[in-house]
Amino acid sequence: GPAFGSAAAVTSASFIAYVKDGDVWIVAADGSRSQRVTSDGAAGPYSDPAFAPDGTIYALRNEDYLYHVDQAGRVIGSPAALGVLENGAEALTVAPDGAHLAFTTTGWGTLIDPRFGKPTGSYIYGGTDVITPDGMSVPGSALGSLLYPSWLSASSLVLSDGVVMYVDSFASEPSTW
């Protein structure tokens, strides 16, 4: 596709990041100027791309690795292995200030992860974890049973248990929206 070629970073305000055939792509919000960002998705598919405030892109790969790439597809830093349950990671989102990311992880109750409580029986359990850009879990920030995060501010998330929506900040217990 055509190069974006401007000094200003392409950000989520006017562009959309998506996955096609395992690779990350970006496109203008009006559907024009589609550009392939990565080219190695066949070796391990990317998913859930999310723009950082500086225009770089975070994406999950193989459901348990966090990649950070620039718009030319160059990997920034080292890919980070995420602490995930059996179903891997999904719903990756970047805080407005870029200081944290959040993702959902679920399992079938066979892997015990103290961040999300102890599973009983054979049902899906899990939650949302908040991490730093290098993939490290922020201590005390895992939110059991709350899924599909969206950043409300640099320190607050909106999440759901499938019935009720909650607002959570790093320093308090989740409260009903």
Side-chain angles (χ1 to χ4, degrees):
F4 286 87
S6 73
V10 172
T11 64
S12 61
S14 57
F15 288 85
I16 299 166
Y18 65 100
V19 173
K20 177 181 174 187
D21 298 327
D23 281 306
V24 174
W25 290 68
I26 54 178
V27 64
D30 67 3
S32 68
R33 301 193 311 163
S34 181
Q35 175 181 311
R36 186 176 183 172
V37 175
T38 63
S39 60
D40 59 347
Y46 293 90
S47 66
D48 299 274
F51 277 103
D54 65 1
T56 59
I57 302 166
Y58 286 94
L60 300 172
R61 189 165 191 195
N62 295 325
E63 299 178 349
D64 62 349
Y65 275 85
L66 176 69
Y67 275 71
H68 187 197
V69 298
D70 65 16
Q71 292 175 17
R74 292 181 296 259
V75 176
I76 300 168
S78 297
L82 299 175
V84 299
L85 299 171
E86 297 96 328
N87 297 333
E90 61 182 318
L92 181 68
T93 183
V94 182
D97 65 357
H100 295 95
L101 294 85
F103 67 90
T104 291
T105 185
T106 61
W108 292 103
T110 59
L111 177 67
I112 296 175
D113 186 324
R115 294 176 301 164
F116 305 110
K118 183 176 180 183
T120 57
S122 58
Y123 62 90
I124 293 179
Y125 87 112
T128 291
D129 197 10
V130 176
I131 58 174
T132 56
D134 62 359
M136 300 300 295
S137 183
V138 175
S141 68
L143 301 160
S145 301
L146 297 178
L147 309 173
Y148 302 105
S150 183
W151 290 94
L152 187 60
S153 70
S155 62
S156 296
L157 291 161
V158 176
L159 309 107
S160 176
D161 64 3
V163 177
V164 177
M165 292 185 70
Y166 294 88
V167 174
D168 180 59
S169 71
F170 292 93
S172 66
E173 289 296 313
S175 59
T176 303
W177 178 315

